[in-house]
Each structure stands twice: as structure tokens, then as C-alpha cells.
Amino acid sequence: FLTHELGETAAPVEAALASASRILPLVTTAYHVSASNNRYWPEMYTAMPIVDENRPHPYRDTPIPRRAGTVSPLDPELFSRVEAFADQLVNGERSATYSPLRVAQWLEDLAESAAAHLADAEGQTSDKSSPAFRRLAVDVAIQSALGRFFAQKLRAALADALYKRTGDEGRLREALDAYRAARAAYADAAEHGRAYRDDITYGMEPWLRGHWSDRLAAIDGDLADMEAEWRRATSEATPVAQQASGRPHTPLVELDNLPPEANHSHLPPVSFQRGRPVSIELKLRPLDPSIWPISASLRYRHVNQAELYQTVQMEHDGDRYSAAIPGEYTDSTYPLQYFFELRDAQGRAWLYPG
């Protein structure tokens, strides 16, 4: 179809779509401000405030206080909420779930990849004004801008949460820088969205209609709250606090420890019999011996989203780990799903296969 529509530019167009089309599904999985499709429209996002939860927004089913840091992921087994990750950083405890920083980096990488492939397509096409190419180019550009927006908003929310926990003005400075970058990205989406009509109507409520440019006022209000917080913090800081705030700290983007390199080997069972235990085995060998020993947990549940995961600690003999899902649990009409949660001697935790 792309070849028929766009000829020789089909390859870079397909590559642009491959990245752009992953952005919003990642957002809705990792940052889910509302489970209601009549309130959460991530394609034309109405701002959830970072600073003041009393600012108006339509999201009534998100955790209290209702602000960006407390927003739950749609899959909390895989992703950390912003404030939970901030608590981990302050307390020196790390979860195996993917952090907001990891999600932000993935979003940024997807956005940059989509934009680069689109630029490649624009360089190859003989007619950038054709309807087929314009439709593609506008939507990829908007999705790329949204990826950059959500990446920077997650960083801003995390830096603000860390400031509130530590009083480190450097974190608040990082929050401001990230939020201003997020605002610029959303303005970029609005500019590309000028190809659309001024009032795109998805529903009756104001958050389900309008244009990207309409959303900038709420972002500006929240950003103004953060700027006021910055002025208050810097004006009220004592000389000791000012001296402390000038000390170097680990940059925000470096706070997400990547899992260590290791050779994982696992062969899933082809099937199981109801009412009988299922043996699960994992072979794990780290490339760096200094991170040994590594502990492993088996996380399993029925393929039923209403249920919580069960956890069993895996026994190991050298680099071979084993555990069993008990027969009373397999005696069910549901299939089974599982994954591994691993932790090394340095306290780093990660998921496999992830």
C-alpha cells in the first residue's frame, strides 16, 4: 500500500511509522492518567498538573493527590509511577520495574527515530505537497513532538518529586528545564497540527474537542506554578542551603541504573496439565562476576487481568535456577503467564525477559 501511495519513499515512510506508531501505546501503558476513554485523549492531551493538584483537569479516577507524579501506569507490574521511583531513589531501594526515566528515554528515542526517517522521506519524495505524503508527514511530526513532550514531562515530574523530598534546588532547576522543553515540544505539535481544523470533535466535553494549541494554556499555568516555586525556593534559601544547592549532584538522566550484562537462558514449557505443578527453570550467568550472587523470583499469574501476580523465590545451584507453579494454582480454566525478577549483589534489579 505504501509503495502504491508513495513510490520509492515507502521504505523511509514505513520506518518513520514504525517508530511513531509506538509512542502513544507506550504513553498509555506507562502513564495512564485515566482509564476512561471519554476523559483521556493522549493524542490531544489535556495537562495533568505537576505542581498543584487543584488546577482543573478531567481525570477523576487517578490516585489522590491527582497530579502527574501520582499517575498510575496501566501495567504497574512493568512500570513505576513517578513518585514511587522518587521514593526508591531517596531511600536507596530499587525496584525491577521500568522507571519513568527509562520510559522517557524510550519515548525520546522513538521520537528522534520517527523524525529522522521522516526527514529522509522528505528528501526522497518528488512531491511533498501530495495529499498522501502530507497526511503521513503531519501525523508523524505530531506524534514525534508528543513523544518528546511526554518524555520531558516525565523527567520534569520526577525532578520536582525529588526536590520535594530532598530540598535540592538543583532538582527543581532540572524540573524547570525539562518542563520548558516539554512545553516547546507541545507547541511544536500544535504548529504541525495547523493542517487540521481548529475544532477536532471527539466528544462533547471541552477536553474531547478543540486543538493542540488550546492545551497550551493549562501547560503554561502549571509551568508558572513551578516557576513560582523556584522563585520562592531561591529567595527563601538560607546561605547554608544555597551553598548545598550549588554542590554537584548526579544528573537526572543518570539516575536510572541499567541492568548488568548477563547471559540468560530459558526454555518455556510448551504446555501444562491442569492440577499438576509446572516446573520453571532459568540459567543465568553474569558477564561480571563481582555482581554475584544474583537472586531470582518467579512472578506468575493466570492470564486474567483481574488477578494479582504470585511470587515464589527460586532456588539455585550455581547458575541454574528453578521453581514450580503449584498444582492447585494450575487447576484453572486460564492459561498461565510468568516472568523473572532478578537482583544482583549491588542492589540492581531487572526483569527477564522484559
Side-chain angles (χ1 to χ4, degrees):
F1 173 77
L2 291 175
T3 302
H4 172 74
E5 288 273 292
L6 302 164
E8 293 181 356
T9 59
V13 160
E14 185 176 37
L17 287 170
S19 293
S21 63
R22 286 169 164 81
I23 290 171
L24 290 175
L26 177 55
V27 169
T28 54
T29 306
Y31 177 78
H32 208 63
V33 295
S34 175
S36 169
N37 69 312
N38 289 326
R39 291 184 179 270
Y40 189 19
W41 190 14
E43 293 90 339
M44 197 181 293
Y45 172 72
T46 297
M48 166 70 87
I50 293 176
V51 180
D52 182 3
E53 64 268 22
N54 294 313
R55 281 198 167 271
H57 60 78
Y59 312 120
R60 310 317 303 165
D61 62 335
T62 205
I64 296 173
R66 297 186 176 101
R67 56 174 182 253
T70 61
V71 167
S72 174
L74 189 60
D75 189 344
E77 286 290 333
L78 290 183
F79 298 96
S80 296
R81 70 178 66 189
V82 168
E83 296 206 357
F85 183 63
D87 287 336
Q88 293 173 28
L89 291 173
V90 171
N91 297 330
E93 302 170 354
R94 299 303 296 269
S95 164
T97 51
Y98 297 117
S99 74
L101 291 176
R102 191 84 55 90
V103 174
Q105 190 59 58
W106 285 337
L107 288 170
E108 198 165 72
D109 291 345
L110 290 169
E112 291 177 357
S113 174
H117 288 298
L118 178 59
D120 189 16
E122 289 174 335
Q124 293 186 30
T125 186
S126 58
D127 186 6
K128 289 194 291 186
S129 64
S130 71
F133 190 83
R134 284 192 67 213
R135 281 194 297 268
L136 176 283
V138 166
D139 285 352
V140 167
I142 291 173
Q143 289 179 86
S144 178
L146 290 175
R148 290 185 284 112
F149 165 77
F150 280 110
Q152 294 290 7
K153 177 152 188 178
L154 285 171
R155 290 170 180 147
L158 176 62
D160 187 72
L162 289 172
Y163 163 71
K164 287 180 169 63
R165 285 158 174 75
T166 65
D168 183 349
E169 293 166 16
R171 295 299 180 204
L172 187 54
R173 178 79 260 172
E174 288 175 316
L176 266 175
D177 291 344
Y179 210 177
R180 286 169 178 163
R183 199 272 184 198
Y186 207 88
D188 191 29
E191 183 63 27
H192 288 294
R194 289 168 65 89
Y196 282 87
R197 62 186 301 154
D198 293 338
D199 186 7
I200 303 170
T201 308
Y202 175 55
M204 295 175 61
E205 294 83 358
W207 56 85
L208 294 180
R209 63 185 305 164
H211 192 270
W212 290 271
S213 57
D214 301 338
R215 282 25 178 188
L216 288 170
I219 296 172
D220 288 339
D222 193 27
L223 183 54
D225 287 342
M226 189 177 287
E227 289 169 340
E229 191 174 35
W230 168 256
R231 290 192 298 272
R232 187 165 53 252
T234 53
S235 65
E236 295 176 356
T238 64
V240 173
Q242 290 175 345
Q243 183 179 3
S245 68
R247 294 173 186 165
H249 62 209
T250 304
L252 189 74
V253 294
E254 297 178 13
L255 293 177
D256 187 32
N257 290 332
L258 297 176
E261 294 186 357
N263 291 322
H264 305 80
S265 177
H266 169 64
L267 185 63
V270 175
S271 63
F272 69 93
Q273 289 184 302
R274 286 178 56 179
R276 292 193 177 184
V278 180
S279 296
I280 305 294
E281 296 184 351
L282 171 70
K283 188 174 182 181
L284 175 64
R285 182 169 296 172
L287 301 187
D288 179 5
S290 68
I291 68 172
W292 196 265
I294 294 176
S295 62
S297 298
L298 176 67
R299 303 273 287 153
Y300 65 90
R301 78 168 185 191
H302 300 127
V303 184
N304 176 359
Q305 295 181 42
E307 297 184 13
L308 298 177
Y309 276 85
Q310 309 295 309
T311 304
V312 60
Q313 192 71 21
M314 302 187 76
E315 299 179 355
H316 72 96
D317 181 10
D319 59 0
R320 295 180 181 275
Y321 295 75
S322 62
I325 301 174
E328 57 266 24
Y329 195 83
T330 70
D331 190 9
S332 166
T333 58
Y334 289 102
L336 296 173
Q337 62 185 121
Y338 65 90
F339 61 90
F340 305 100
E341 186 173 304
L342 308 165
R343 189 176 298 273
D344 69 11
Q346 299 176 15
R348 290 175 296 186
W350 68 101
L351 305 176
Y352 179 76

